[in-house]
Amino acid sequence: SKSEGRSKLKLFDPVTLHSRQLQRQIVGDLREGIRADQLVLYYQPIVELATGNIEGCEALVRWNHPVHGLIMPDQFIPVAEATGLIAELGRWVLRTAMRQLRQWRDDPATQQTVFSMRINVSAADLQSLEFVDDVRDVLLAEGLSPDSLVLELTEGAIIQNNELDRYTLMSLRRLGVGLEIDDFGAGYSSMGYLRKLPVDRVKVDRQFVKDLGKDPSQLEFLAAIQQVIRSCGLEGVWEGIETAQEAELLRSIGCTSGQGYFFGRPLPEADFLARLKATRGH
Ligand code: C2E
Ligand code: CA
Ligand code: CA
Ligand code: CA
Protein backbone atom coordinates (compact mmCIF):
# COMPACT_ATOMS: atom_id res chain seq x y z
CA SER A 1 0.00 0.00 0.00
CA LYS A 2 3.04 2.23 0.37
CA SER A 3 3.34 2.42 -3.37
CA GLU A 4 -0.06 4.10 -3.64
CA GLY A 5 0.36 7.71 -4.61
CA ARG A 6 4.12 7.38 -4.84
CA SER A 7 6.54 6.68 -7.60
CA LYS A 8 3.80 6.62 -10.19
CA LEU A 9 5.51 5.65 -13.38
CA LYS A 10 4.67 7.99 -16.19
CA LEU A 11 5.58 5.25 -18.62
CA PHE A 12 2.64 5.60 -20.89
CA ASP A 13 2.65 9.32 -21.17
CA PRO A 14 -0.19 10.53 -23.43
CA VAL A 15 2.31 12.07 -25.81
CA THR A 16 4.33 8.93 -26.33
CA LEU A 17 1.12 6.99 -26.74
CA HIS A 18 0.92 8.43 -30.20
CA SER A 19 3.76 6.19 -31.15
CA ARG A 20 2.00 3.23 -32.71
CA GLN A 21 4.88 0.97 -32.03
CA LEU A 22 4.90 1.66 -28.30
CA GLN A 23 1.14 1.30 -28.19
CA ARG A 24 1.41 -2.12 -29.84
CA GLN A 25 4.00 -3.15 -27.28
CA ILE A 26 1.84 -2.06 -24.36
CA VAL A 27 -1.15 -3.87 -25.80
CA GLY A 28 0.90 -7.03 -26.13
CA ASP A 29 2.20 -6.65 -22.57
CA LEU A 30 -1.27 -5.95 -21.21
CA ARG A 31 -2.89 -8.87 -22.99
CA GLU A 32 -0.17 -11.08 -21.54
CA GLY A 33 -0.53 -9.33 -18.18
CA ILE A 34 -4.24 -10.08 -17.93
CA ARG A 35 -3.63 -13.76 -18.69
CA ALA A 36 -0.60 -14.03 -16.43
CA ASP A 37 -2.57 -12.58 -13.50
CA GLN A 38 -0.51 -9.39 -13.30
CA LEU A 39 -3.55 -7.20 -12.75
CA VAL A 40 -4.46 -6.60 -9.15
CA LEU A 41 -7.45 -4.92 -7.51
CA TYR A 42 -7.14 -2.40 -4.70
CA TYR A 43 -10.19 -1.59 -2.58
CA GLN A 44 -11.16 1.81 -1.20
CA PRO A 45 -13.91 2.21 1.40
CA ILE A 46 -17.05 4.27 0.81
CA VAL A 47 -18.42 5.39 4.14
CA GLU A 48 -21.56 6.76 5.71
CA LEU A 49 -20.54 10.31 6.64
CA ALA A 50 -22.58 10.42 9.84
CA THR A 51 -20.97 7.34 11.39
CA GLY A 52 -17.85 6.51 9.40
CA ASN A 53 -19.25 3.00 8.81
CA ILE A 54 -18.18 1.28 5.62
CA GLU A 55 -21.13 0.97 3.25
CA GLY A 56 -19.25 -0.17 0.21
CA CYS A 57 -15.91 -0.27 -1.51
CA GLU A 58 -14.63 0.67 -4.93
CA ALA A 59 -12.42 -1.78 -6.81
CA LEU A 60 -9.54 0.06 -8.50
CA VAL A 61 -7.28 -1.82 -10.87
CA ARG A 62 -3.45 -1.66 -10.92
CA TRP A 63 -1.00 -3.48 -13.13
CA ASN A 64 1.81 -5.25 -11.35
CA HIS A 65 4.24 -5.22 -14.27
CA PRO A 66 7.13 -7.71 -13.96
CA VAL A 67 9.63 -5.10 -15.12
CA HIS A 68 8.11 -1.68 -14.44
CA GLY A 69 6.44 -2.37 -11.10
CA LEU A 70 3.04 -1.09 -10.05
CA ILE A 71 1.38 0.87 -12.85
CA MET A 72 -1.64 3.08 -12.15
CA PRO A 73 -4.83 2.75 -14.22
CA ASP A 74 -4.54 6.15 -15.86
CA GLN A 75 -1.45 4.76 -17.58
CA PHE A 76 -3.08 1.73 -19.20
CA ILE A 77 -6.90 2.05 -19.18
CA PRO A 78 -6.85 4.50 -22.10
CA VAL A 79 -4.71 2.07 -24.11
CA ALA A 80 -7.05 -0.78 -23.24
CA GLU A 81 -10.01 1.35 -24.34
CA ALA A 82 -8.39 2.37 -27.61
CA THR A 83 -7.60 -1.21 -28.58
CA GLY A 84 -10.59 -3.22 -27.50
CA LEU A 85 -8.64 -4.96 -24.75
CA ILE A 86 -10.90 -3.17 -22.27
CA ALA A 87 -13.61 -5.83 -22.69
CA GLU A 88 -11.30 -8.54 -21.41
CA LEU A 89 -9.98 -6.28 -18.66
CA GLY A 90 -13.52 -5.35 -17.64
CA ARG A 91 -14.57 -8.98 -17.42
CA TRP A 92 -11.54 -9.75 -15.26
CA VAL A 93 -12.33 -6.87 -12.90
CA LEU A 94 -15.99 -7.88 -12.62
CA ARG A 95 -15.18 -11.51 -11.94
CA THR A 96 -12.33 -10.80 -9.51
CA ALA A 97 -14.16 -8.15 -7.50
CA MET A 98 -17.31 -10.21 -7.05
CA ARG A 99 -15.37 -13.33 -6.13
CA GLN A 100 -13.62 -11.20 -3.51
CA LEU A 101 -16.90 -9.88 -2.15
CA ARG A 102 -18.26 -13.41 -1.86
CA GLN A 103 -15.15 -14.45 0.06
CA TRP A 104 -15.60 -11.59 2.54
CA ARG A 105 -19.24 -12.58 2.95
CA ASP A 106 -18.30 -16.22 3.55
CA ASP A 107 -15.64 -15.34 6.11
CA PRO A 108 -17.10 -15.28 9.64
CA ALA A 109 -14.63 -12.53 10.53
CA THR A 110 -16.05 -10.16 7.93
CA GLN A 111 -19.52 -11.30 7.02
CA GLN A 112 -21.15 -8.83 9.38
CA THR A 113 -19.75 -5.98 7.37
CA VAL A 114 -22.23 -6.50 4.56
CA PHE A 115 -21.72 -3.94 1.84
CA SER A 116 -21.71 -3.47 -1.90
CA MET A 117 -18.91 -3.59 -4.45
CA ARG A 118 -18.45 -0.73 -6.92
CA ILE A 119 -16.66 -1.30 -10.17
CA ASN A 120 -15.77 1.12 -12.95
CA VAL A 121 -17.36 0.42 -16.30
CA SER A 122 -16.08 1.95 -19.49
CA ALA A 123 -18.07 3.13 -22.51
CA ALA A 124 -16.98 0.10 -24.52
CA ASP A 125 -18.50 -2.27 -21.94
CA LEU A 126 -21.88 -0.60 -22.39
CA GLN A 127 -21.66 -1.16 -26.12
CA SER A 128 -21.12 -4.88 -25.74
CA LEU A 129 -24.26 -6.99 -25.82
CA GLU A 130 -22.56 -9.62 -23.71
CA PHE A 131 -21.93 -7.26 -20.81
CA VAL A 132 -25.36 -7.74 -19.25
CA ASP A 133 -24.99 -11.51 -19.54
CA ASP A 134 -21.54 -11.33 -17.95
CA VAL A 135 -22.94 -9.42 -14.98
CA ARG A 136 -25.86 -11.83 -14.59
CA ASP A 137 -23.55 -14.87 -14.86
CA VAL A 138 -21.08 -13.59 -12.28
CA LEU A 139 -23.80 -12.77 -9.74
CA LEU A 140 -25.29 -16.22 -10.25
CA ALA A 141 -21.93 -17.99 -10.05
CA GLU A 142 -21.03 -16.23 -6.78
CA GLY A 143 -24.52 -16.47 -5.33
CA LEU A 144 -24.70 -12.71 -4.79
CA SER A 145 -27.82 -10.57 -5.06
CA PRO A 146 -27.88 -7.85 -7.74
CA ASP A 147 -27.86 -5.08 -5.15
CA SER A 148 -24.41 -6.16 -3.97
CA LEU A 149 -23.02 -4.63 -7.17
CA VAL A 150 -22.94 -0.98 -8.18
CA LEU A 151 -21.60 -0.02 -11.61
CA GLU A 152 -19.85 3.34 -11.89
CA LEU A 153 -20.26 4.96 -15.29
CA THR A 154 -18.75 8.25 -16.37
CA GLU A 155 -20.83 10.99 -17.91
CA GLY A 156 -18.94 10.52 -21.14
CA ALA A 157 -19.83 6.85 -21.34
CA ILE A 158 -23.49 7.51 -20.67
CA ILE A 159 -23.92 10.62 -22.74
CA GLN A 160 -22.79 8.92 -25.91
CA ASN A 161 -26.20 7.56 -25.22
CA ASN A 162 -26.87 5.72 -28.44
CA GLU A 163 -29.74 3.29 -28.48
CA LEU A 164 -27.57 0.31 -27.63
CA ASP A 165 -26.18 2.04 -24.53
CA ARG A 166 -29.63 2.89 -23.37
CA TYR A 167 -30.79 -0.66 -23.98
CA THR A 168 -27.84 -1.95 -21.96
CA LEU A 169 -28.56 0.49 -19.12
CA MET A 170 -32.21 -0.50 -19.02
CA SER A 171 -31.28 -4.19 -19.01
CA LEU A 172 -28.85 -3.68 -16.13
CA ARG A 173 -31.48 -1.70 -14.30
CA ARG A 174 -34.01 -4.49 -14.76
CA LEU A 175 -31.43 -6.94 -13.50
CA GLY A 176 -31.35 -4.93 -10.27
CA VAL A 177 -27.73 -3.81 -10.05
CA GLY A 178 -27.03 -0.27 -8.84
CA LEU A 179 -26.06 2.32 -11.44
CA GLU A 180 -24.03 5.37 -10.53
CA ILE A 181 -22.78 8.34 -12.54
CA ASP A 182 -19.07 8.82 -11.80
CA ASP A 183 -17.07 12.07 -11.92
CA PHE A 184 -20.27 14.11 -11.98
CA GLY A 185 -19.59 17.71 -12.96
CA ALA A 186 -16.14 17.02 -14.39
CA GLY A 187 -17.11 16.96 -18.04
CA TYR A 188 -20.34 17.66 -19.80
CA SER A 189 -22.13 18.84 -16.69
CA SER A 190 -25.57 18.81 -18.16
CA MET A 191 -28.21 18.79 -15.44
CA GLY A 192 -30.91 17.71 -17.87
CA TYR A 193 -29.88 14.10 -18.14
CA LEU A 194 -29.87 13.54 -14.38
CA ARG A 195 -33.62 13.13 -14.42
CA LYS A 196 -33.76 11.08 -17.58
CA LEU A 197 -31.14 8.40 -17.09
CA PRO A 198 -31.93 5.11 -15.38
CA VAL A 199 -29.39 5.62 -12.59
CA ASP A 200 -29.86 5.77 -8.83
CA ARG A 201 -26.66 7.40 -7.60
CA VAL A 202 -24.32 10.21 -8.49
CA LYS A 203 -20.68 10.42 -7.47
CA VAL A 204 -19.62 14.04 -7.50
CA ASP A 205 -16.19 14.67 -9.00
CA ARG A 206 -13.45 15.25 -6.49
CA GLN A 207 -12.54 18.63 -7.99
CA PHE A 208 -15.46 20.17 -6.03
CA VAL A 209 -14.21 18.95 -2.67
CA LYS A 210 -10.70 20.09 -3.56
CA ASP A 211 -11.99 23.60 -4.20
CA LEU A 212 -13.81 23.54 -0.88
CA GLY A 213 -10.49 23.15 0.94
CA LYS A 214 -9.15 26.27 -0.77
CA ASP A 215 -12.25 28.38 -0.38
CA PRO A 216 -14.91 27.56 2.25
CA SER A 217 -17.37 29.91 0.53
CA GLN A 218 -17.72 27.11 -2.03
CA LEU A 219 -19.90 25.34 0.51
CA GLU A 220 -23.07 27.02 -0.68
CA PHE A 221 -22.34 25.92 -4.24
CA LEU A 222 -21.80 22.33 -3.07
CA ALA A 223 -25.03 22.50 -1.10
CA ALA A 224 -26.81 23.48 -4.32
CA ILE A 225 -25.32 20.48 -6.16
CA GLN A 226 -26.40 18.17 -3.36
CA GLN A 227 -29.87 19.75 -3.53
CA VAL A 228 -30.14 19.08 -7.27
CA ILE A 229 -29.08 15.46 -6.80
CA ARG A 230 -31.65 14.94 -4.04
CA SER A 231 -34.41 16.65 -5.98
CA CYS A 232 -33.83 14.20 -8.82
CA GLY A 233 -34.45 11.41 -6.32
CA LEU A 234 -30.81 10.29 -6.48
CA GLU A 235 -28.26 9.50 -3.82
CA GLY A 236 -25.09 11.59 -3.79
CA VAL A 237 -21.62 10.22 -3.04
CA TRP A 238 -18.75 12.67 -2.54
CA GLU A 239 -15.24 11.62 -3.48
CA GLY A 240 -11.81 13.08 -2.77
CA ILE A 241 -12.44 13.78 0.92
CA GLU A 242 -8.96 14.23 2.40
CA THR A 243 -9.56 16.01 5.71
CA ALA A 244 -11.86 15.84 8.73
CA GLN A 245 -12.95 19.40 7.99
CA GLU A 246 -14.08 18.51 4.48
CA ALA A 247 -16.02 15.53 5.82
CA GLU A 248 -17.70 17.68 8.46
CA LEU A 249 -18.60 20.47 6.04
CA LEU A 250 -20.15 18.01 3.62
CA ARG A 251 -22.09 16.39 6.42
CA SER A 252 -23.36 19.84 7.47
CA ILE A 253 -24.99 20.35 4.07
CA GLY A 254 -26.77 17.00 4.12
CA CYS A 255 -24.33 14.78 2.23
CA THR A 256 -24.59 11.19 3.41
CA SER A 257 -21.87 9.18 1.64
CA GLY A 258 -18.20 9.86 1.02
CA GLN A 259 -14.91 8.44 -0.13
CA GLY A 260 -11.35 9.69 0.09
CA TYR A 261 -7.95 9.42 1.70
CA PHE A 262 -9.37 10.72 5.00
CA PHE A 263 -11.43 7.54 5.34
CA GLY A 264 -8.90 5.27 3.69
CA ARG A 265 -6.70 4.93 0.65
CA PRO A 266 -7.22 2.16 -1.88
CA LEU A 267 -5.68 -0.95 -0.28
CA PRO A 268 -4.58 -4.36 -1.52
CA GLU A 269 -6.84 -7.23 -0.52
CA ALA A 270 -4.93 -8.26 2.62
CA ASP A 271 -4.77 -4.72 4.03
CA PHE A 272 -8.41 -4.07 3.23
CA LEU A 273 -9.33 -7.31 4.97
CA ALA A 274 -7.46 -6.15 8.08
CA ARG A 275 -9.38 -2.90 7.93
CA LEU A 276 -12.69 -4.76 7.66
CA LYS A 277 -11.85 -6.92 10.65
CA ALA A 278 -10.85 -3.88 12.68
CA THR A 279 -14.20 -2.19 12.05
CA ARG A 280 -16.22 -5.31 12.68
CA GLY A 281 -19.42 -4.80 14.58
CA HIS A 282 -19.61 -1.06 13.89
P1 C2E B 1 -12.15 7.17 -10.50
O1 C2E B 1 -13.15 6.13 -10.85
O2 C2E B 1 -12.62 8.56 -10.39
O3 C2E B 1 -11.48 6.66 -9.14
C1 C2E B 1 -11.09 7.51 -8.09
C2 C2E B 1 -9.63 7.84 -8.16
O4 C2E B 1 -9.33 8.83 -7.18
C3 C2E B 1 -8.72 6.67 -7.85
O5 C2E B 1 -7.53 6.82 -8.60
C4 C2E B 1 -8.44 6.87 -6.36
O6 C2E B 1 -7.25 6.26 -5.92
C5 C2E B 1 -8.36 8.36 -6.28
N1 C2E B 1 -8.68 8.88 -4.96
C6 C2E B 1 -9.47 8.32 -4.01
N2 C2E B 1 -9.57 9.11 -2.92
C7 C2E B 1 -8.84 10.21 -3.19
C8 C2E B 1 -8.53 11.41 -2.42
O7 C2E B 1 -8.98 11.62 -1.30
N3 C2E B 1 -7.74 12.33 -3.02
C9 C2E B 1 -7.22 12.15 -4.27
N4 C2E B 1 -6.44 13.11 -4.76
N5 C2E B 1 -7.48 11.03 -5.00
C10 C2E B 1 -8.28 10.08 -4.47
P2 C2E B 1 -6.90 5.59 -9.41
O8 C2E B 1 -7.02 4.34 -8.61
O9 C2E B 1 -5.56 6.00 -9.88
O10 C2E B 1 -7.87 5.44 -10.65
C11 C2E B 1 -7.92 6.41 -11.64
C12 C2E B 1 -9.04 6.16 -12.61
O11 C2E B 1 -8.79 4.97 -13.39
C13 C2E B 1 -10.38 5.91 -11.96
O12 C2E B 1 -10.94 7.16 -11.58
C14 C2E B 1 -11.13 5.22 -13.07
O13 C2E B 1 -11.64 6.17 -13.99
C15 C2E B 1 -10.03 4.41 -13.74
N6 C2E B 1 -10.12 3.02 -13.27
C16 C2E B 1 -9.61 2.47 -12.16
N7 C2E B 1 -9.91 1.14 -12.08
C17 C2E B 1 -10.63 0.85 -13.20
C18 C2E B 1 -11.24 -0.35 -13.71
O14 C2E B 1 -11.21 -1.44 -13.10
N8 C2E B 1 -11.90 -0.25 -14.92
C19 C2E B 1 -11.97 0.93 -15.60
N9 C2E B 1 -12.65 0.95 -16.77
N10 C2E B 1 -11.43 2.08 -15.13
C20 C2E B 1 -10.76 2.04 -13.95
CA1 CA C 1 -15.02 5.41 -10.00
CA1 CA D 1 -14.62 9.43 -9.77
CA1 CA E 1 -12.10 9.26 -13.21
Side-chain angles (χ1 to χ4, degrees), residues 139 145-149 170-179 200:
L139 290 172
S145 61
D147 64 1
S148 51
L149 175 62
M170 293 311 293
S171 306
L172 289 166
R173 179 76 174 200
R174 266 198 301 274
L175 193 59
V177 302
L179 297 177
D200 35 51

Side-chain angles (χ1 to χ4, degrees), residues 7-278:
S7 66
K8 287 183 192 171
L9 288 171
K10 293 286 176 207
L11 267 186
F12 308 141
D13 181 278
V15 179
T16 51
L17 272 185
H18 291 301
S19 150
R20 265 214 218 115
Q21 202 199 332
L22 181 61
Q23 183 155 339
R24 261 202 306 271
Q25 194 210 315
I26 295 165
V27 172
D29 273 10
L30 186 54
R31 179 170 288 125
E32 175 58 30
I34 295 172
R35 290 182 188 155
D37 251 344
Q38 290 166 12
L39 295 187
V40 51
L41 290 182
Y42 276 44
Y43 302 95
Q44 185 178 32
I46 293 160
V47 307
E48 189 187 15
L49 288 176
T51 59
N53 288 349
I54 296 179
E55 58 179 35
C57 75
E58 179 174 7
L60 294 157
V61 70
R62 279 97 180 83
W63 180 8
N64 209 344
H65 194 285
V67 176
H68 303 298
L70 201 68
I71 304 178
M72 300 303 278
D74 289 339
Q75 311 294 308
F76 61 91
I77 294 286
V79 184
E81 283 176 337
T83 56
L85 213 51
I86 191 72
E88 198 174 333
L89 188 150
R91 263 195 302 275
W92 181 89
V93 169
L94 174 68
R95 223 182 323 113
T96 306
M98 297 317 277
R99 193 188 301 135
Q100 183 62 75
L101 182 62
R102 203 244 311 130
Q103 279 170 17
W104 288 331
R105 293 231 177 139
D106 286 350
D107 184 342
T110 51
Q111 65 189 177
Q112 283 172 307
T113 57
V114 179
F115 59 81
S116 59
M117 180 67 74
R118 325 288 170 106
I119 68 168
N120 293 282
V121 171
S122 80
D125 290 321
L126 287 188
Q127 274 149 20
S128 150
L129 282 172
E130 280 133 60
F131 184 67
V132 183
D133 291 334
D134 286 346
V135 170
R136 191 188 291 111
D137 290 350
V138 166
L139 290 172
L140 220 62
E142 301 299 345
L144 292 166
S145 61
D147 64 1
S148 51
L149 175 62
V150 177
L151 303 173
E152 301 193 356
L153 315 139
T154 59
E155 295 176 284
I158 299 175
I159 282 172
Q160 289 185 355
N161 206 22
N162 62 42
E163 250 158 65
L164 193 54
D165 287 357
R166 222 170 324 174
Y167 178 77
T168 311
L169 286 181
M170 293 311 293
S171 306
L172 289 166
R173 179 76 174 200
R174 266 198 301 274
L175 193 59
V177 302
L179 297 177
E180 176 175 283
I181 298 171
D182 199 358
D183 298 347
F184 178 70
Y188 300 80
S189 304
S190 153
M191 295 282 173
Y193 71 84
L194 269 191
R195 287 171 60 92
K196 296 189 192 123
L197 287 171
V199 300
D200 35 51
R201 287 162 229 256
V202 179
K203 194 186 277 183
V204 183
D205 192 71
R206 70 166 177 264
Q207 128 206 350
F208 293 105
V209 174
K210 203 163 107 200
D211 293 345
L212 178 61
K214 282 184 254 159
D215 176 10
S217 75
Q218 280 274 342
L219 193 60
E220 226 172 303
F221 178 56
L222 270 51
I225 296 175
Q226 171 69 15
Q227 189 61 43
V228 167
I229 293 171
R230 295 300 308 179
S231 72
C232 292
L234 303 170
E235 214 178 292
V237 183
W238 293 74
E239 69 177 349
I241 301 173
E242 295 184 352
T243 68
Q245 189 205 17
E246 287 163 359
E248 178 49 34
L249 286 172
L250 288 170
R251 218 174 52 75
S252 77
I253 56 170
C255 303
T256 53
S257 299
Q259 177 180 6
Y261 295 164
F262 174 65
F263 300 110
R265 290 184 175 252
L267 296 173
E269 177 195 334
D271 296 338
F272 192 80
L273 178 66
R275 164 87 195 254
L276 281 183
K277 285 179 176 167

